[in-house]
């Protein structure tokens, strides 16, 4: 699903639609949803009327017509830029939705009735609990559960992964997604979603923004912005009589300009774009979020509960160490271990060869050419090779190899049992290696921790997120894996109810908890968690209980999803800080310019040394307008995220976006003033 085009910030099509939508969104009914920008639109209407009828409010006259027109045009551009920011964010989501809709072709469904008869109908006519038969090459018409058959399913249309996934009735891999294709064989599926309510439908709806609701943090911030707007409106209203008392006549257009410059228009124009872009980033990561609240909750997560197998470890036991016994030489143990595994295509066999070659890179495979491979069976519980010279090499379970050696007339090394016990206590699998009748040692197989997880857990620790590993292993094995992975805690011999108990315990301390799962037994815990990420390959129960679904079925993705949530919150906070800090510089630009003609002492505050009152106001307005599109890339892509503690993050953002928000307008307004002051002088302003 990801391609080069989707990675571009803005394409030609998105630009075209965004410009059109920026004008459409000027409708007052729509603008009222954003109170801050609605105030700007009211200001635009007032200044437009003043430009047409200069004396409409009983002040000004013809000499202010051009000034009123300039202010009106700048306010209009400010509105367009704010709408353009939101339209760009929506456009990126709609472009992605368009590619998803390609999978929703007008497919046909082969419905199977109770009497065994079949009928071809449109997929849109399917109802929940209908039974359909899907054959090789056909598209699965809607979400469902496999009740019969086994087949490989191509999910590339949704996940972008080309490798087919095997689906079969029962277990945790019976769930199928509408829009995917049966690559081979056939499946009988019970439909679990009504038309328009599938996961793909939900995904399209979310990326289009059609079902996006404001999150609690967004509502709280919007309330703050409205409060600040009301406060500044009161300040502006009281400024007029104060100015009259001082002998200063402030034109209505100037009061409007002052209002627009002092209220938080920057973040007001970008707030919706930030929320939409946050949803877009999660969706581009192949995760369906059931609500914006779920994405935002990711940013506030304090505790992460993770399964061991498949999440922290591969689940396949891989070779970790060669342990000699008796008088055996390690070189011989490694050599014969490699030889016995050359034709072993299991993950364990391949790992033995890989590990052995690390120790003996000069191993000569030619010496063992033509050997007869003996496959592992449940009866023999061992595998190996028979060489042409009569040498017999076997590796397998302790009991099986011990009996084999004794039957061949060999002896059992005294330390073999202790070495096997040591490996078993660590939660590993001991494979005993025997050449002819001599036992050389033990291969330690263990469930290997996925590479890079130690660093990622350390990164989560830096931002204050605690990680807890759940496993059915005994406490000793759990402790070993937990230490190796670098998690903060673990629950050994964990049952489904233990996960729920662990989540409730953390929540009782006021913490937000995230977890992943794919089975029906994970559903209660996924529902209990604040952020529940279900695997798309998992059961319908798990997906319905969770508030996010990973289409790639990668349990470790919860780590990245949490960072995306953090980035969303940081972006919103950083741009809010920048916006409010901007107002300080605008204050120093406009207020001294208005009063310094009658109150000379106010010149001290004109630290930017702006040319005239009109140029100061127009420069501040222009800067207020152009800073919105300048910040669109940050709002849509997000502030660059680096794992760190909350206090460090606050200091960093205050330094970059707080101090930067104060300094940037001083520089920007001064440069704009130097450019427009001569132009305003030419037209008599």
């Amino acid at each position: 699903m990801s391609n080069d085009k989707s990675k571009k910030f803005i394409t030609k099509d998105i630009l075209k639609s965004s410009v059109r939508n920026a004008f459409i969104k000027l409708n007052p009914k729509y603008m009222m949803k954003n109170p801050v920008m609605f105030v700007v639109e009211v200001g635009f209407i007032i200044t437009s009327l003043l430009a047409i009828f200069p004396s409409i409010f009983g002040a000004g006259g013809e000499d202010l017509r051009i000034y009123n027109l300039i202010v009106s045009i700048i306010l209009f551009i400010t509105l367009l830029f704010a709408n353009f920011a939101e339209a760009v964010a929506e456009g990126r989501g709609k472009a992605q939705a368009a590619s998803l809709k390609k999978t929703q072709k007008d497919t046909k469904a082969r419905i199977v009735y109770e009497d065994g008869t079949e009928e071809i109908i449109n997929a849109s006519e399917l109802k929940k609990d209908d039974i359909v038969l899907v054959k090789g090459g056909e598209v699965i018409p809607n979400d469902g559960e496999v009740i019969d058959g086994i087949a490989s399913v191509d999910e590339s249309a949704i996940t972008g992964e080309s490798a087919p996934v095997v689906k079969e009735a029962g277990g945790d891999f019976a769930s199928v997604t509408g829009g995917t294709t049966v690559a081979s064989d056939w499946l009988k599926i019970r439909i679990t979603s009504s038309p328009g309510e599938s996961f793909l439908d939900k995904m399209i709806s979310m990326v289009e923004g059609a079902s996006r609701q404001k999150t609690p943090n967004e509502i709280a911030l919007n309330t703050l912005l409205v409060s600040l707007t009301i406060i500044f409106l009161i300040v502006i209203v009281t400024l007029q009589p104060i100015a009259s008392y001082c002998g200063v006549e402030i034109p209505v257009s100037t009061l409007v300009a002052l209002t627009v410059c002092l209220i938080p228009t920057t973040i007001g124009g970008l707030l919706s774009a930030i929320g939409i872009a946050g949803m877009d980033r999660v969706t581009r990561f192949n995760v369906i979020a059931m609500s914006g609240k779920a994405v935002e909750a990711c940013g506030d997560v304090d505790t992460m509960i993770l399964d061991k197998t498949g999440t922290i470890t591969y689940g396949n036991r891989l070779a970790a160490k060669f342990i000699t016994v008796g008088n055996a030489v390690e070189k011989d143990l490694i050599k014969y271990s490699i030889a016995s595994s050359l034709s072993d295509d299991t993950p364990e066999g391949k790992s033995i060869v890989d590990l052995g070659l690390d120790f003996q890179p000069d191993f000569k495979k030619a010496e063992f050419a033509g050997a007869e491979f003996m496959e592992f069976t449940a009866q023999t519980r061992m595998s190996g090779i028979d060489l042409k010279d009569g040498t017999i090499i076997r590796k397998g379970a302790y009991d099986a190899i011990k009996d084999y050696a004794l039957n061949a007339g060999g002896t059992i090394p005294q330390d073999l049992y202790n070495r096997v016990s040591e490996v078993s206590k660590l939660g590993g699998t001991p494979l005993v290696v025997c050449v002819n009748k001599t036992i050389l040692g033990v291969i330690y197989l263990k469930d290997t921790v996925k590479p890079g997880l130690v660093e990622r857990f350390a990164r989560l620790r830096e931002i204050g997120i605690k990680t807890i590993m759940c496993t059915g292993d005994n406490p000793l094995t759990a402790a070993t894996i937990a230490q190796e992975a670098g998690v903060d805690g673990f629950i050994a011999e964990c049952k489904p109810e233990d996960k729920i108990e662990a989540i409730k315990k953390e929540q009782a301390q006021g913490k937000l908890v995230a977890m992943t799962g794919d089975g029906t037994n994970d559903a209660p815990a996924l529902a209990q968690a604040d952020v529940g990420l279900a695997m798309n390959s998992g059961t319908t129960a798990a997906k319905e209980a969770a508030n996010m679904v990973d289409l790639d079925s990668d349990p470790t993705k919860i780590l990245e999803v949490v960072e995306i949530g953090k980035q969303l919150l940081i972006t919103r906070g950083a741009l809010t800080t920048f916006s409010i800090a901007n107002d300080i510089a605008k204050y120093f630009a406009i207020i001294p310019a208005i009063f310094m003609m009658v109150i000379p002492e106010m010149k001290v505050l004109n630290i930017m040394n702006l040319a005239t009152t009109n140029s100061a106001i127009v420069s501040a307005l222009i800067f207020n307008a152009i800073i919105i599109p300048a910040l669109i890339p940050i709002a849509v892509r997000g502030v660059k995220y680096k794992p760190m503690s909350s206090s460090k993050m606050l200091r960093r953002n205050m330094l970059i976006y707080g101090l930067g928000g104060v300094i940037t307008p001083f520089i920007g307004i001064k440069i704009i003033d130097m450019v427009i002051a001569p132009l305003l002088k030419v037209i008599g302003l």
Side-chain angles (χ1 to χ4, degrees):
M1 188 163 61
S2 58
N3 50 55
D4 293 337
K5 188 174 181 180
S6 69
K7 290 178 182 177
K8 288 182 180 179
F9 167 63
I10 186 169
T11 64
K12 186 178 179 181
D13 292 337
I14 292 175
L15 177 62
K16 185 178 178 181
S17 65
S18 298
V19 171
R20 182 176 65 253
N21 288 333
F23 283 90
I24 295 173
K25 290 175 182 289
L26 290 172
N27 186 331
K29 287 184 179 179
Y30 183 87
M31 294 300 296
M32 287 180 71
K33 297 177 182 177
N34 188 339
V36 176
M37 298 313 299
F38 182 66
V39 170
V40 178
E41 186 167 48
V42 171
F44 160 68
I45 294 171
I46 292 172
T47 52
S48 297
L49 290 173
L50 287 170
I52 301 169
F53 310 106
S55 303
I56 192 172
F57 294 114
E62 289 295 328
D63 55 335
L64 287 178
R65 183 188 293 271
I66 296 177
Y67 172 70
N68 294 336
L69 181 62
I70 291 172
V71 172
S72 177
I73 291 172
I74 297 172
L75 293 182
F76 182 69
I77 293 172
T78 303
L79 289 168
L80 286 180
F81 282 161
N83 289 344
F84 180 74
E86 183 176 357
V88 166
E90 288 177 345
R92 282 165 61 89
K94 287 178 180 177
Q96 189 185 10
S99 67
L100 289 172
K101 284 179 179 178
K102 290 178 183 177
T103 65
Q104 286 193 316
K105 296 174 257 184
D106 186 19
T107 55
K108 299 291 183 180
R110 185 183 290 101
I111 189 168
V112 180
Y113 295 107
E114 291 183 5
D115 59 4
T117 58
E118 298 179 5
E119 182 185 358
I120 304 296
I121 63 172
N122 291 323
S124 58
E125 298 175 28
L126 285 174
K127 301 184 295 295
K128 192 173 180 180
D129 292 327
D130 280 345
I131 306 297
V132 297
L133 177 66
V134 186
K135 297 180 180 180
E138 296 179 349
V139 176
I140 295 173
N142 206 338
D143 296 348
E145 290 266 2
V146 177
I147 59 173
D148 193 13
I150 179 170
S152 57
V153 177
D154 180 2
E155 298 184 330
S156 59
I158 294 177
T159 67
E161 294 294 330
S162 57
V165 180
V166 176
K167 300 287 185 177
E168 59 183 319
D172 292 342
F173 296 95
S175 175
V176 291
T177 305
T180 57
T181 305
V182 174
S184 64
D185 301 300
W186 58 271
L187 293 173
K188 191 175 283 187
I189 301 165
R190 176 182 287 110
I191 300 300
T192 56
S193 299
S194 300
E197 296 179 2
S198 69
F199 282 106
L200 188 57
D201 289 312
K202 292 175 184 176
M203 189 176 189
I204 291 170
S205 182
M206 293 305 296
V207 298
E208 283 186 321
S211 63
R212 194 186 89 85
Q213 297 179 338
K214 288 186 177 181
T215 62
N217 279 348
E218 198 173 346
I219 293 171
L221 180 55
N222 207 48
T223 303
L224 173 63
L225 297 182
V226 170
S227 301
L228 289 174
T229 301
I230 293 171
I231 290 170
F232 281 118
L233 282 172
I234 295 171
V235 170
I236 300 304
V237 169
T238 57
L239 186 64
Q240 178 67 14
I242 294 173
S244 298
Y245 178 79
C246 295
V248 179
E249 189 64 37
I250 305 177
V252 174
S253 291
T254 299
L255 289 173
V256 171
L258 185 59
T259 302
V260 171
C261 284
L262 293 185
I263 64 176
T265 50
T266 305
I267 187 62
L270 295 171
L271 186 59
S272 184
I274 294 169
I276 294 170
M279 292 294 303
D280 178 52
R281 281 196 295 278
V282 170
T283 308
R284 285 173 186 271
F285 208 57
N286 267 6
V287 172
I288 302 175
M290 301 306 172
S291 68
K293 185 179 179 181
V295 180
E296 193 171 87
C298 289
D300 288 326
V301 164
D302 301 294
T303 304
M304 195 178 296
I305 295 179
L306 304 156
D307 277 326
K308 185 203 77 170
T309 305
T311 304
I312 294 175
T313 64
Y314 282 109
N316 294 322
R317 297 182 181 271
L318 307 178
K321 191 177 181 181
F322 297 103
I323 305 169
T324 57
V325 295
N327 298 320
V329 179
E330 186 180 57
K331 184 177 179 181
D332 291 337
L333 171 62
I334 296 172
K335 174 184 174 181
Y336 289 116
S337 295
I338 298 173
S340 67
S341 305
L342 287 175
S343 299
D344 188 347
D345 291 330
T346 64
E348 294 85 353
K350 291 177 180 178
S351 71
I352 291 170
V353 174
D354 292 340
L355 182 65
L357 291 176
D358 287 341
F359 288 99
Q360 291 185 14
D362 57 345
F363 176 84
K364 294 180 177 58
K365 294 183 181 180
E367 290 183 22
F368 303 93
E372 184 181 354
F373 177 64
M374 307 295 293
E375 289 190 14
F376 177 89
T377 65
Q379 289 75 27
T380 62
R381 297 171 62 214
M382 58 183 173
S383 63
I385 57 173
D386 295 341
L387 303 184
K388 289 183 177 180
D389 63 5
T391 303
I392 300 174
I393 307 169
R394 293 288 185 269
K395 70 176 191 293
Y398 165 69
D399 292 337
I401 296 295
K402 184 181 76 170
D403 292 341
Y404 173 82
L406 289 173
N407 291 334
T411 58
I412 307 302
Q414 292 183 351
D415 56 346
L416 177 62
Y417 178 77
N418 290 336
R419 298 292 174 265
V420 169
S421 297
E422 287 170 6
V423 172
S424 299
K425 286 178 181 177
L426 291 173
T429 300
L431 279 185
V432 181
V433 179
C434 177
V435 179
N436 293 325
K437 59 181 181 180
T438 306
I439 295 177
L440 301 181
V442 178
I443 304 172
Y444 173 18
L445 298 180
K446 72 170 189 173
D447 199 352
T448 308
V449 173
K450 292 182 178 180
L453 279 188
V454 175
E455 293 77 12
R456 289 160 82 179
F457 287 139
R459 207 163 68 210
L460 291 172
R461 197 174 296 110
E462 285 179 29
I463 56 178
I465 296 177
K466 182 171 75 171
T467 50
I468 299 175
M469 179 187 79
C470 292
T471 175
D473 291 333
N474 61 65
L476 181 60
T477 302
T480 302
I481 296 292
Q483 184 177 7
E484 187 176 344
V487 294
D488 299 310
F490 65 89
I491 303 173
E493 299 173 344
C494 183
K495 299 182 288 294
E497 54 267 30
D498 295 330
K499 292 180 184 179
I500 300 175
E501 188 61 35
I503 293 171
K504 288 181 177 179
K505 183 179 177 181
E506 293 293 319
Q507 290 173 331
Q509 298 173 26
K511 296 178 180 179
L512 264 67
V513 182
M515 79 157 285
T516 62
D518 58 3
T520 301
N521 60 350
D522 290 325
L526 287 168
Q528 180 66 41
D530 300 284
V531 177
L533 179 66
M535 302 298 101
N536 190 44
S537 62
T539 61
T540 300
K543 289 190 281 188
E544 288 180 348
N547 50 23
M548 303 181 99
V549 177
D550 174 25
L551 295 175
D552 295 330
S553 300
D554 177 5
T556 63
K557 195 179 283 188
I558 187 71
L559 306 175
E560 282 86 356
V561 171
V562 165
E563 290 193 349
I564 290 175
K566 286 280 184 189
Q567 187 184 38
L568 170 64
L569 296 180
I570 291 167
T571 300
R572 190 182 293 151
L575 293 185
T576 301
T577 303
F578 185 88
S579 176
I580 295 174
N582 267 212
D583 295 337
I584 298 173
K586 296 170 194 170
Y587 174 87
F588 279 99
I590 297 179
I591 299 297
I594 293 175
F595 288 97
M596 64 186 179
M597 297 302 293
V598 293
I599 307 176
E601 291 80 5
M602 292 288 284
K603 288 183 179 179
V604 177
L605 296 178
N606 186 23
I607 56 181
M608 283 181 269
N609 196 27
L610 302 178
T612 64
T613 298
N614 288 342
S615 73
I617 293 167
V618 173
S619 297
L621 268 182
I622 291 175
F623 176 84
N624 192 65
I626 63 176
I627 197 65
I628 294 176
L631 293 174
I632 289 177
I634 296 177
V636 173
R637 287 179 172 166
V639 171
K640 190 173 181 181
Y641 172 73
K642 289 184 178 179
M644 60 183 72
S645 64
S646 299
S647 56
K648 275 187 180 180
M649 198 177 296
L650 179 62
R651 287 197 298 270
R652 176 177 176 270
N653 286 343
M654 288 301 293
L655 182 64
I656 296 174
Y657 296 96
L659 186 60
V662 173
I663 295 173
T664 303
F666 276 95
I667 299 171
I669 292 172
K670 178 60 181 176
I671 292 172
I672 295 170
D673 180 74
M674 292 169 65
V675 173
I676 69 164
L679 299 176
L680 293 178
K681 190 174 182 181
V682 171
I683 60 176
L685 294 176

